[in-house]
Amino acid sequence: MFGYVTVARNQLTEDEYKMFCAYYCGVCRATAAQGSQTARLALSYDITFLAIVLSSVLDGAAQTVSKGCAAHPIKKRESVVNDPAVDYAAAVGVLLSYLKLADDRRDEHSFKAAAGMAVMRSAYRRAGKRYGTEADMIKRQLDILSSLEENGCGSVDETADAFAKILEGLFTPPFIKDESTRRALAWLGYNLGRWIYIIDAYNDMDRDFEKGAYNPFLAGGKTPREQKDIPETELSLTFTLENIASAFELIAFKKNKSIIGKMIYTSLKAKQRSVLSGENAGARKAAFTGMRCARRNEG
């Protein structure tokens, strides 16, 4: 499901890219500290985006330290530290990954999902103790989504809404106090979740058709060819991107506004064009991304 939020490296200045990578590494370190080393496999740009957005509405400059790590023991990396948004995003990443694996195991009887759950179980328990409300909310919405899928729901809007409400809730953590900011963040999160769900379902149509798996676009016996010729999907996705942008403009960012804006206005649009044109068709998203920022910095 995740892996569609990306960063357009060529659109960021060198300082902006270094800061984005510092958040990426910060979330990675926080994931290991709060969960486990293996839980770092759940790190993605989507979770980094959550961290940088929430961090950027808080007062104060980002605090960074330069350290080596197991993946890069020789060359030190800048990491954002002492940031509640980074710690929160790390825990949320674990919760999302574990509960999605549990959902896959239940729905698809996936051995791979069961193995992933075993690897991440201790990290999930630790994250759940700190963020039980968020864990319950994610599970509740995934249960709603699973029920819709089991009943062959043919409404993309209805299934997307169930997933979108997960990100709506996650973008409004307790440490964000200002109500107007919370409302704008909720709207950003909801529309980002909606966009992710729809574009993922669209991108997976061919694969799901071949496997006979559920896909809201294919419910009722429709074929990928029939659905890809319908212009309403692009209109819906573009409208959702416009809602994300509108929410972004309402938020009083204290820092990193340019980075976030470029990800919304450039990276998401580029990903949408790639998927709708078929360039990204059938590609499996990088739910587990390793240290991509670090490797790109070396290049």
Side-chain angles (χ1 to χ4, degrees):
M1 185 68 71
F2 291 99
Y4 290 100
V5 176
T6 60
V7 57
R9 173 68 181 91
N10 62 343
Q11 296 294 323
L12 301 181
T13 67
E14 191 64 29
D15 286 343
E16 287 172 344
Y17 187 65
K18 287 180 179 178
M19 180 55 67
F20 177 83
C21 287
Y23 275 98
Y24 185 91
C25 290
V27 175
C28 185
R29 290 183 181 280
T31 302
Q34 296 183 67
S36 66
Q37 292 293 333
T38 53
R40 299 167 103 168
L41 294 171
L43 181 60
S44 69
Y45 282 174
D46 311 78
I47 296 303
T48 305
F49 181 74
L50 174 65
I52 196 169
V53 167
L54 296 182
S55 173
S56 299
V57 301
L58 301 176
D59 292 325
Q63 180 183 345
T64 64
V65 297
S66 182
K67 292 183 178 181
C69 68
H72 304 280
I74 298 177
K75 188 174 181 179
K76 294 182 178 180
R77 310 285 169 179
E78 291 292 322
S79 302
V80 174
V81 296
N82 301 326
D83 190 318
V86 168
D87 293 340
Y88 171 79
V92 161
V94 171
L95 294 175
L96 281 169
S97 297
Y98 183 87
L99 290 173
K100 183 61 174 69
L101 288 169
D103 194 55
D104 289 345
R105 182 191 178 190
R106 180 182 63 187
D107 295 345
E108 303 174 12
H109 307 290
S110 168
F111 173 77
K112 184 184 294 187
M117 288 174 65
V119 168
M120 296 189 65
R121 186 166 287 114
S122 63
Y124 170 74
R125 287 172 178 167
R126 294 180 66 181
K129 286 181 180 179
R130 293 192 64 189
Y131 298 102
T133 300
E134 286 78 7
D136 290 343
M137 180 273 294
I138 296 169
K139 186 176 184 303
R140 181 172 61 253
Q141 289 304 127
L142 287 177
D143 285 345
I144 293 171
L145 184 57
S146 290
S147 178
L148 291 170
E149 293 175 350
E150 288 170 5
N151 291 317
C153 178
S155 170
V156 178
D157 288 336
E158 190 172 355
T159 50
D161 176 75
F163 182 78
K165 286 177 179 174
I166 295 176
L167 293 198
E168 178 183 36
L170 295 181
F171 269 78
T172 53
F175 57 82
I176 305 296
K177 303 298 184 183
D178 181 74
E179 281 304 316
S180 62
T181 300
R182 288 178 63 85
R183 286 194 296 271
L185 286 170
W187 189 232
L188 191 157
Y190 178 88
N191 282 281
L192 180 62
R194 185 179 190 278
W195 182 84
I196 288 172
Y197 183 88
I198 295 173
I199 204 164
D200 179 70
Y202 185 94
N203 193 41
D204 281 351
M205 269 197 281
D206 289 323
R207 181 183 67 89
D208 290 340
F209 184 73
E210 291 173 4
K211 293 176 62 177
Y214 170 80
N215 188 303
F217 284 107
L218 304 178
K222 299 181 182 71
T223 67
R225 180 183 294 275
E226 290 172 334
Q227 291 300 84
K228 288 181 180 180
D229 289 337
I230 297 176
E232 283 79 4
T233 299
E234 182 173 4
L235 291 173
S236 178
L237 285 168
T238 300
F239 176 74
T240 306
L241 280 182
E242 290 173 353
N243 283 339
I244 294 171
S246 295
F248 166 78
E249 297 296 344
L250 291 173
I251 298 170
F253 290 102
K254 310 293 178 64
K255 50 187 176 286
N256 303 317
K257 183 174 182 178
S258 177
I259 299 173
I260 299 165
K262 289 174 182 177
M263 293 183 73
I264 290 172
Y265 286 105
T266 303
S267 300
L268 294 184
K269 285 185 177 180
K271 177 60 73 173
Q272 179 172 308
R273 285 195 299 269
S274 174
V275 171
L276 293 180
S277 67
E279 295 174 16
N280 205 49
R284 299 315 303 145
K285 284 69 63 186
F288 305 121
T289 56
M291 293 300 293
R292 294 182 297 186
C293 260
R295 285 200 290 269
R296 290 181 185 182
N297 268 341
E298 288 174 345

